[in-house]
Amino acid sequence: MKIGVSTLALAEHSISEILEYLEDIGADYCEIINEYPMADVEVTDSYSIGFTVHAPISDINIASLNDRVRDASVREVMRSVDLAADIGADVLVVHPGLVPFLGRRYTGRIMERNLESLREIVDYGEERGVGVFPENMPRLEGPLMRDLDELWGAVEELDTMATLDVAHAATMGYGVDEMVTGRVGHVHLSDNDRETDSHDALGEGSIDFRGLLDKLEDHGYRGVLTVEVKNTREIESSVEFLRRIIH
């Protein structure tokens, strides 16, 4: 398994500064969150770091019942597919859609819309050689795919893999034994108290990461473990924590 770091805590820096920093701390991958201030990035081939890409999170709803909002959201995610293809990233993380307050009575149709949009994006990813891996969401009102069974069902129907966000799953009450299946194609890591998605450094909360890595190993996972925390201190302590427990 390889160690990756999200730009979540680093977005105020240029991409070259980020990549130099990640090389210095010994990370293997950088996950670019492809929205402001990193909506337009150019990467040279002078770095040893590999890449994954996270599609935009803000101002996006691929499940919207408003056709204009939904179509614009899908186009924005497809732009991230293009970025991934251009920089040689074979994983694109994408969030599912949302159920707005006034849309609660139409949740079934919104879920259908979500799957339709994901299918378009997955198909486009296949054309560009990029795996599109939907991510499970935390315990918040609105997002779809908070329930892991919903995530597994969607990726099976789409014939793709999932991004398992371990911290999100923990807020939904899942233990690490329940989080891993053969459909996990990418992993996000941060720690928390199993109540709030606080993006704490690994080892500073209550999640059993050693047990998690054992389960991933049992399922043959060989992909990237992407650290998603709030600042450089937490990045560095999390990377060191992973180095100590990766088999």
Side-chain angles (χ1 to χ4, degrees):
M1 286 179 263
K2 302 294 185 180
I3 297 175
V5 175
S6 167
T7 59
L8 180 66
L10 301 168
E12 69 272 18
H13 300 285
S14 70
I15 189 66
S16 59
E17 290 172 332
I18 291 171
L19 297 180
E20 288 171 8
Y21 168 72
L22 295 182
E23 284 186 330
D24 286 345
I25 67 171
D28 303 302
Y29 278 79
C30 173
E31 183 157 298
I32 298 172
I33 301 179
N34 188 211
E35 65 172 56
Y36 182 86
M38 304 200 76
D40 297 298
V41 295
E42 294 184 5
V43 179
T44 69
D45 59 2
S46 58
Y47 300 95
S48 61
I49 298 286
F51 295 97
T52 57
V53 176
H54 198 307
I57 302 167
S58 307
D59 308 318
I60 292 288
N61 186 3
I62 64 171
S64 177
L65 296 180
N66 181 318
D67 289 339
R68 293 178 296 278
V69 171
R70 179 262 181 195
D71 292 347
S73 298
V74 169
R75 286 196 302 272
E76 284 302 303
V77 176
M78 287 179 172
R79 288 183 67 251
S80 292
V81 172
D82 292 333
L83 172 64
D86 290 345
I87 65 176
D90 57 8
V91 170
L92 176 76
V93 179
V94 58
H95 280 195
L98 308 166
V99 179
F101 177 79
L102 292 180
R104 290 172 177 172
R105 70 182 70 180
Y106 310 116
T107 297
R109 178 59 186 134
I110 290 171
M111 292 177 71
E112 291 172 2
R113 261 296 173 88
N114 185 62
L115 199 61
E116 291 165 5
S117 296
L118 285 172
R119 183 172 288 109
E120 288 184 34
I121 299 163
V122 168
D123 289 348
Y124 185 64
E126 289 178 356
E127 292 175 14
R128 298 297 321 264
V130 176
V132 175
F133 298 167
E135 178 182 356
N136 62 300
M137 294 291 98
R139 185 167 59 105
L140 293 171
E141 186 173 359
L144 298 170
M145 294 187 182
R146 292 169 295 181
D147 187 307
L148 287 180
D149 286 339
E150 184 183 347
L151 177 71
W152 307 140
V155 297
E156 184 170 355
E157 185 165 346
L158 294 165
D159 194 22
T160 189
M161 304 292 278
T163 297
L164 171 66
D165 190 303
V166 174
H168 290 178
T171 68
M172 290 295 294
Y174 292 100
V176 296
D177 287 344
E178 305 169 280
M179 293 184 189
V180 182
T181 76
R183 284 286 182 181
V184 174
H186 189 59
V187 176
H188 282 174
L189 298 179
S190 61
D191 213 339
N192 60 43
D193 60 2
R194 304 186 63 83
E195 296 291 330
T196 304
D197 184 31
S198 50
H199 286 269
D200 297 329
L202 308 193
E204 295 187 359
S206 60
I207 297 174
D208 176 14
F209 291 104
R210 288 177 175 84
L212 173 77
L213 293 193
D214 287 342
K215 293 297 290 185
L216 289 169
E217 183 94 2
D218 290 346
H219 281 82
Y221 184 74
R222 296 292 182 270
V224 182
L225 304 169
T226 297
V227 172
E228 281 192 323
V229 290
K230 303 183 294 296
N231 54 55
T232 55
R233 179 197 68 79
E234 293 181 338
I235 289 173
E236 291 161 23
S237 67
S238 297
V239 168
E240 285 303 315
F241 181 93
L242 281 178
R243 283 205 188 98
R244 292 195 298 270
I245 66 171
I246 288 177
H247 301 150

